[in-house]
Amino acid sequence: PIIAAAIVDARSKVTTSENMTVAAVSDTVDFGKTNLNLTLARISNCTHGGFLDICGLCRVLDCDADLHLSDKWVEEKLKFTAIRFDIDGVSTLTVTIPGEALVELGSQIRADSLALGFDQVLLAGYSNDHAGYFTTPDEYDIGGYESQLSFWGIETSAKVRAGCNQVAAKIVKH
């Protein structure tokens, strides 16, 4: 009853407007081949050698294993969409992200979009595609499963930010 009452109260305060415009644009962005850095040191997330000195061993043997998955496994051309809603002078952007952006990247995308002049920004993850986790370089270096499934390596967030900015810039109200 408490939640229902709160919903009824909130709904009674909603005003509608006939002064609304909507614009949308979609683009496909070529991310290129994946670059999964699966060195032993990276998977172990080691900062020192330990019993078997995996990190030292990898430095000597250069046991780099950058995997480039086929586009049958992971899409290389990702779709981004931006939708602008202008209601009574307030410009709201919804921008899609084709995977899971971690918090820091989401904050960067939101700041980029606000800098373009939007009043509000909504992020819609897992939209148009699912191309794994999207980490910033700092989050990538921390390690963990998110960074190991950040398919384009340490540069993933730059590609995602550019895709979001590309579509958002096309529907900025001038």
Side-chain angles (χ1 to χ4, degrees):
I2 294 172
I3 294 174
I7 292 170
V8 169
D9 181 53
R11 179 68 178 117
S12 70
K13 295 175 184 174
V14 172
T15 59
T16 59
S17 175
E18 294 180 10
N19 185 18
M20 181 177 121
T21 59
V22 177
V25 66
S26 289
D27 271 341
T28 302
V29 178
D30 189 350
F31 273 42
K33 293 284 184 201
T34 61
N35 188 27
L36 282 169
N37 180 336
L38 296 177
T39 62
L40 289 176
R42 180 153 173 66
I43 290 173
S44 299
N45 196 23
C46 62
T47 55
H48 65 286
F51 177 69
L52 294 176
D53 194 12
I54 296 293
C55 295
L57 185 62
C58 281
R59 280 190 292 277
V60 171
L61 297 177
D62 189 26
C63 50
D64 205 12
D66 288 335
L67 301 179
H68 305 289
L69 299 174
S70 159
D71 63 357
K72 291 177 179 30
W73 285 90
V74 177
E75 293 287 334
E76 296 171 1
K77 294 180 174 127
L78 304 179
K79 186 175 182 180
F80 290 82
T81 300
I83 306 165
R84 186 188 78 230
F85 300 91
D86 295 310
I87 304 171
D88 292 331
V90 177
S91 184
T92 301
L93 171 71
T94 298
V95 64
T96 65
I97 302 169
E100 183 174 334
L102 273 62
V103 172
E104 184 180 357
L105 177 56
S107 296
Q108 292 170 353
I109 294 167
R110 184 172 280 111
D112 294 344
S113 300
L114 290 170
L116 289 173
F118 294 98
D119 299 308
Q120 302 175 105
V121 179
L122 305 171
L123 306 177
Y126 304 108
S127 300
N128 296 325
D129 208 336
H130 189 308
Y133 292 95
F134 300 144
T135 60
T136 63
D138 289 341
E139 292 163 330
Y140 187 83
D141 282 340
I142 290 170
Y145 68 92
E146 295 99 339
S147 70
Q148 291 169 9
L149 294 171
S150 204
F151 293 121
W152 289 272
I154 200 163
E155 296 300 320
T156 300
S157 67
K159 293 174 183 282
V160 174
R161 281 180 79 178
C164 290
N165 199 54
Q166 179 177 317
V167 292
K170 288 185 176 184
I171 60 168
V172 170
K173 192 173 184 179
H174 298 286

